[in-house]
Amino acid sequence: MFRKTVLFTAIALAAAGFGTAQAQSSRDYISIVGSSTVYPFATVVAEQFGKGSAFKTPKIESTGSGGGFKLFCAGVGVQHPDITNASRAIKASEIDTCKANGVAEIVEVKIGYDGIVLANSRKAKPMTISRKDIFLALAKQVPDPKGGEQVVANPYRTWQDVNAALPAVKIEVLGPPPTSGTRDAFLELAMEDGAKHFPWIKKMEKEDAKQFKSIAHTIREDGAFIEAGENDNLIVQKLEANVNAFGIFGFSFLDQNSDKIQGSLVDGIEPTFEAIAKGSYPLSRPLFFYVKKAHADVIPGIKQYLNEFTSEKAWGGDGYLAEKGMIPMPDAERKQYRAAATALKAMAAK
Amino acid sequence: MISTLSFVHSGAVKRGLQASGAIPSRFTVGDAAVQPTVGEPFSDQARMSCRQVNVYYGAKQSIIDVSLDIGRNEVVAMIGPSGCGKSTFIRCLNRMNDTIPGCRVDGTITLDGVDIYGKEIDVVPLRAQVGMVFQKPNPFPKSIYQNVAYGPKIHGLAQSRAELDEIVETSLRRAGLWDEVKDRLDQPGTSLSGGQQQRLCIARTIAVSPEVILMDEPCSALDPIATSVIEDLIGELKSQYSIAIVTHSMQQAARVSQRTAYLHLGKLLEVGQTERIFTRPRHPLTEAYITGRFG
Amino acid sequence: MSDPRSSQDQSNRPRTIDLVNAGLARRYRAERRFRLYGLSAISASLLVLALLLGSIVASGYSAFQQTFIRLDIVLDADQLRTNNLRQANYQGLVKQSLSTLFPAAVGRSEKRELYALVSSGAGFQIRDLVFASPELIGKSVPVWVPADDDVDMLVKGHLKVDEKAESHRLTTAQLGWIEQLRDQGRLSKQFNSAFFTNGDSREPETAGIRGAFTGSLFTVVVTLLLSFPVGVAAAVYLEEFAPRNRWTDLIEVNINNLAAVPSIVYGLLGLAVFLNFFGLPRSAPLVGGLVLALMTLPTLIIAGRAALQSVPPSIREAALGVGASKMQTVLHHVLPLALPGILTGAIIGMARALGESAPLLMIGMVAFIVDVPGGFNDPATVLPVQIYLWADSPERAFVERTSAAILVLLAFLIMMNGAAVLLRKKFERRW
């Protein structure tokens, strides 16, 4: 019995060692990392690509945009990913890291937009809110309501306190934790913009960026904002149970649960597919993926994957990505990025 | 009375001398100058000879200067009050004490003239030559057959299955257990009664054909009938083996042994023909013990 | 004894039996209370367990069924006579048959709504059918294709239908078509075999558990093969052979500490050592197994040592007494006796490894992987990760699939425990 165990272990180790040597010399599937926002879209493309072609289905890890770039820029070789998804454009510092590790040529592909919604249960009335209201309702420190150029701890308890036009309901917002990309985008698109409605805070952005960030990017911690974890489905369930609560999440969750929840109108615009596509809905952001050009000829299927992703049946107005809640780009932009992707045109240095 | 004095005196002197290293640890038979024990500790036909054996558990000394022979075809009984070191002493004879951390043995113990604590001695063959039966019956949780066959198997005593069967049968017959278990050799040894289990352990011990058998209170966990069966068995076994038995029961010592050794607080006070010890003890403490004044 | 005082004492003092009887009722009451505490503790935990299982089963059982739509697919020879049978437009065939069923739908958006009734994976099903029996080309065959997840949710009653058509995911037209399909007997709920035979998918109706199940199996095999022998060897050495000194004390303290280290730390270790230093592939069950083996080793060693300690010393003495060497004593007698205990420890360790997802995040096993892994180096994910990924998916139909996946994980655990119990029984019977 003992001897057998030892034998099995030896065989397993030998097999593993042999297999490892094989796996390291080549990889026959595409390895993709990156943003959790792009993940639900990239996975659909990967699946369609894998089932519809002779290639293996790409492997996609949801690491977050920053984590994706870190892995992507670690170097060239089969142990490093080929493509990284991002819910923001690559930063200059990340390009530098890539260069330093030998990843010189990167192909940037913009794929569409994602909207961030503030939603509540369908049993309640929809709310019309401005970004300034959002900032005042959720920031930890707000400009003194009595006037003057100083901030005080957020005194607002109900939406009506913030803006007399809003309902007299306690402020209660469920949102993503600081690790989430949705939270970053929400801070940037809603809170920062709302803060800039106050001229003296706007002026501060240039003079004292740190102070500005601490005002615009700090969410209140007195119970009005509840961190609900990464699971957006959970937020939807909680909204259903509590008609007074609002939730912050990606548009695709609103789209999938439109029988239970409704999006608030931000600056007068309803979060609809069309409004985000047109760019009129204020809380929307572009989504990207980046391809390591050096891998395109080494890993089988990268070109075909790009072709699939940039085809009309995927990212077009009626494509299956739109079905999943991604907001397509205008025709001209789609054409431009498809051309760049199929030609593997590397980004110009920033 | 005189011998008692001489014992106290010489013991003290000897310990002091040994500490200074003046006295060599090896002694020849009949070295009476430092012999504290009353009676006849030595035998002309010694299988095992112990000279000036001291055993320490860490700093505590539990056997002091014991010298004793175990002769051919004789049963030596060790008696004495609880904690006197009887078990500790016989466990030195097959180096079972090696397994106890912090236990140290000095002095000389020889088996057929060979020092068993010598550097070149391997405990495995030693324990094949000096078998042991324990206080509590401890058969392996395996079949009756496997229990007896285990020793011969690991020592390679049987060339074939038939030979092994033969050894198992002979050993079980010797232990007087064959007729009781021959139809259920594949049943677990632990399913037997206490007395049967102990006889199984004896069969297991004699299956490897040892020269000496050590028995550490083999009947203390058994009822009187099982005890008498084992005692009869010991009587038969002495025709082939040398046996050292530790016992709490003076009657048992009187029934089974040829010589009896009385240990007291780690010291061997008196050794002699069993009959003589129980009828005419020379040492006052021996007398006190066998007449039941303490123990 | 004849002292009068003492006899007087005797008569004045209550008899022992009276004292005992007086306190008896109180003693029994205390005993009953004590038993009641235990009973209520057990029933409370059973209740919570039943609630948990009940809620999982209640939300998960429906995932084992799937709504199918019967379509008459015309395997048009002209359309399939392309030079590449694999690339042919099978989804087009599905769409054609839908159009034949509902000729009234003509507009572009109307057609889109119509096609959305059927799973986008239906085309692949037709393709597999054609590949399996090419003689069907040119014929019209009735095929049960999976319905889209929204239709499935509607049929299962998980989707609210109200007058405001645009407020839910199905339009009035679609609801009408579904009604018609139902009337024609073309709509039925059937056993969802795809759930057990498919890998992951972004379409709930084609998503299956097999990829994650296989990944878990591979991972656990690696974990077991590595941690069991190493753990047992370490436990045996520490318990039976190692001297007791400061070094072994230090090792013991460290092992006990490691058993309490958060599992994510092992993931970081695996990333640094196995991926970055040894260059093993990301997302591979081999690496996952290595990391989980490191994680379970302390548990296994501690359980193993406890099991070895509980073997009565008389067995060791018996073996040593007949001249067995130290190793023979351990291998022939002590280890077999300790094995049931060691196995229990191993099961606890394996169960923990099986339910672990945090350390796998670091080594890339939290990933979308469609293909069922075929070996220890193929990219793979495991059951708890699959549960996590599905719980995080926006599609409504994944909610029930998440619960179903939990049920599968529980079944896997029960299977493993059962196997271990059987093994243990078998081992004990050899005595």
Side-chain angles (χ1 to χ4, degrees), chain B residues 69-246:
Chain B
D69 281 352
I70 295 161
R72 205 171 291 275
N73 301 337
E74 79 166 345
V75 179
V76 178
M78 319 266 166
I79 58 169
S82 295
C84 68
K86 313 182 288 276
S87 293
T88 302
F89 176 70
I90 74 159
R91 288 169 67 95
C92 292
L93 301 182
N94 68 345
R95 293 183 60 176
M96 278 306 274
N97 281 338
D98 287 14
T99 59
I100 298 167
C103 178
R104 191 162 54 81
V105 178
D106 67 26
T108 315
I109 302 174
T110 60
L111 172 64
D112 294 333
V114 179
D115 183 358
I116 65 166
Y117 280 85
K119 273 211 167 65
E120 69 288 355
I121 291 296
D122 187 343
V123 294
V124 168
L126 169 69
R127 287 177 191 152
Q129 285 173 289
V130 184
M132 189 153 191
V133 177
F134 297 87
Q135 181 171 4
K136 213 180 120 219
N138 56 354
F140 298 129
K142 296 175 188 290
S143 72
I144 293 170
Y145 183 92
Q146 290 295 334
N147 259 287
V148 183
Y150 181 70
K153 253 199 227 163
I154 56 170
H155 296 304
L157 300 185
Q159 303 306 316
S160 65
R161 172 80 195 198
E163 239 177 285
L164 193 61
D165 288 347
E166 168 91 41
I167 293 177
V168 169
E169 184 178 339
T170 327
S171 309
L172 283 170
R173 275 190 195 286
R174 280 257 188 67
L177 197 59
W178 176 252
D179 291 330
E180 290 161 62
V181 300
K182 64 182 176 206
D183 301 324
R184 45 175 179 148
L185 289 175
D186 55 342
Q187 281 182 19
T190 43
S191 68
L192 299 172
S193 74
Q196 288 174 322
Q197 286 191 17
Q198 196 62 295
R199 277 183 283 152
L200 179 62
C201 293
I202 292 172
R204 181 177 68 191
T205 307
I206 58 184
V208 293
S209 317
E211 328 235 319
V212 180
I213 299 176
L214 310 174
M215 295 186 173
D216 188 357
E217 300 190 29
C219 301
S220 65
L222 305 181
D223 64 70
I225 294 172
T227 302
S228 88
V229 173
I230 302 259
E231 283 176 4
D232 292 349
L233 176 58
I234 294 171
E236 285 163 32
L237 290 175
K238 77 163 194 283
S239 63
Q240 287 207 319
Y241 310 98
S242 305
I243 298 173
I245 178 169
V246 167

Side-chain angles (χ1 to χ4, degrees), chain A residues 47 59-60 258-259 318 324, chain C residues 108 167 201-202 368 396:
Chain A
E47 188 178 347
K59 176 194 89 182
I60 305 184
S258 51
D259 59 326
D318 291 336
K324 287 286 173 191
Chain C
R108 198 169 170 282
S167 72
S201 168
R202 286 287 293 129
F368 175 71
R396 180 84 55 83

Side-chain angles (χ1 to χ4, degrees), chain A residues 9 19-20 24 39-40 43 47 51 57 59-61 230-231 233 240 253 255-259 318 324, chain C residues 108 112 124 127 160 167 169 201-202 229 279-280 282-283 364 367-368 371 377 391-396:
Chain A
T9 317
T20 310
Q24 284 307 282
Y39 172 86
T43 47
E47 188 178 347
K51 285 189 176 156
T57 312
K59 176 194 89 182
I60 305 184
E61 286 178 53
E230 291 273 13
N231 190 331
N233 273 326
E240 244 199 317
F253 280 85
D255 192 39
Q256 289 285 341
N257 295 288
S258 51
D259 59 326
D318 291 336
K324 287 286 173 191
Chain C
R108 198 169 170 282
R112 223 189 111 201
F124 302 118
R127 184 185 70 192
K160 275 177 251 161
S167 72
R169 296 192 42 83
S201 168
R202 286 287 293 129
L280 293 175
R282 259 183 97 79
S283 312
F368 175 71
D371 299 333
N377 276 316
D392 217 21
S393 297
E395 288 81 5
R396 180 84 55 83

